[in-house]
Amino acid sequence: MIKDVIDLHTHTIASGHAYCTMLEMARAGADKNLEMLAITEHGPSMRGTCTDMYFQNLKVAPRERFGITVLYGVELNIMDTDGTVDLPNELLPAMDVCIASMHIPCYAPRSLEENTSACINAMKNPYVNVLGHPDDPRYPIDLRAIVEAAKENHVMLEMNNSSLAPTSFRKATEEGYLKFLELCKEYDQPVLMGSDAHIDIDVGNHRYVAPIIEKADFPEHLIMNSSVERIKPYLNYYKR
């Protein structure tokens, strides 16, 4: 069984389309025996989410609650093929965790080459720690090029649990993830399971991605959810 003590992709009511508070999400993480939780609100280009001011003031939030480490960051929106993200670079060093993702309201799907360039260029940003849900078939990408770029730029690649849920609009597939994991094994590239929780009951929920990792016989040292010490070098919070 995979050791699973970290969830770095969650949202609160501040994102505008999630349903719990920071405190409720942290309590849920503690109740599920997590050791580390990150709250990563959507960047300001997403409808209904936080302004820059919200992210500027995250310094006031305590980094330990209910006996677990709680980090605060952002799920940045990739805006164009240059990998532009929707917070200014002067704010990014203060984010404990930065996930960069493509979302329909902010980046319309383009060709495989354009989508791949957008992801690779976003990963070149030194403050981006995770490429979020690179599993969305609406955004075709060159998986080998993405894995190579993630390895080169010391960025984790997310296996997004929400993408595999029966109700998901991203419609990720087991077949796609198995191919993705084979490439990650080939390049010794770390992956991160992310719940993408928008409500407290989904904190730490990796029920759809964990069996695929086990089926792929993926090496534990590349599963970043299994060790706080192993994941620290990948996070802005521990690089300051």
Side-chain angles (χ1 to χ4, degrees):
M1 178 176 287
I2 298 169
K3 184 182 179 185
D4 187 3
V5 295
I6 297 167
D7 190 0
L8 293 189
H9 190 166
T10 71
H11 301 275
T12 77
I13 53 173
S15 278
H17 58 274
Y19 303 99
C20 292
T21 65
M22 283 183 179
L23 200 63
E24 289 167 330
M25 299 296 270
R27 190 184 298 275
D31 289 346
K32 295 185 178 184
N33 298 312
L34 294 186
E35 295 176 14
M36 178 182 286
L37 172 73
I39 292 171
T40 49
E41 309 297 5
H42 284 285
S45 294
M46 184 68 75
R47 292 193 303 269
T49 192
C50 321
T51 66
D52 288 12
M53 183 69 74
Y54 172 91
F55 296 103
Q56 289 171 4
N57 202 42
L58 282 173
K59 60 184 180 291
V60 305
R63 265 55 178 183
E64 184 173 331
R65 287 186 169 181
F66 307 111
I68 68 172
T69 299
V70 181
L71 303 181
Y72 303 92
V74 57
E75 184 179 13
L76 297 160
N77 294 291
I78 298 173
M79 303 301 294
D80 54 36
T81 57
D82 292 331
T84 307
V85 293
D86 59 339
L87 276 183
N89 267 357
E90 55 265 28
L91 271 183
L92 296 183
M95 300 297 100
D96 299 340
V97 183
C98 288
I99 302 170
S101 305
M102 292 186 290
H103 294 108
I104 293 291
C106 305
Y107 176 92
R110 305 182 194 183
S111 68
L112 181 146
E113 292 78 13
E114 289 172 308
N115 296 333
T116 301
S117 293
C119 291
I120 289 174
N121 288 329
M123 287 191 286
K124 290 178 181 178
N125 187 310
Y127 300 110
V128 168
N129 310 126
V130 183
L131 182 67
H133 45 75
D135 52 35
D136 190 337
R138 298 173 300 176
Y139 292 104
I141 53 174
D142 181 335
L143 279 176
R144 183 175 292 276
I146 292 294
V147 173
E148 287 178 347
K151 183 70 175 179
E152 180 179 350
N153 291 284
H154 199 62
V155 170
M156 295 178 284
L157 294 174
E158 184 190 42
M159 294 188 68
N160 188 287
N161 191 76
S162 179
S163 295
L164 287 162
T167 55
S168 174
F169 48 80
R170 285 195 287 268
K171 304 299 180 187
T173 66
E174 179 178 312
E175 180 184 6
Y177 263 137
L178 287 171
K179 179 181 177 182
F180 167 76
L181 288 171
E182 283 303 311
L183 286 167
C184 288
K185 277 199 283 189
E186 180 181 338
Y187 285 87
D188 204 41
Q189 165 61 36
V191 302
L192 177 73
M193 296 186 292
S195 71
D196 204 352
H198 285 63
I199 195 166
D200 56 351
I201 59 173
D202 277 336
V203 169
N205 178 8
H206 302 138
R207 62 181 292 194
Y208 299 114
V209 293
I212 298 174
I213 288 178
E214 291 178 342
K215 183 175 182 177
D217 194 25
F218 198 71
E220 183 179 356
H221 76 277
L222 295 177
I223 306 168
M224 303 310 288
N225 305 74
S226 65
S227 170
V228 169
E229 288 307 310
R230 193 183 301 139
I231 206 170
K232 283 181 178 180
Y234 285 86
L235 304 177
N236 295 333
Y237 183 71
Y238 298 99
K239 297 177 184 179
R240 294 175 194 148

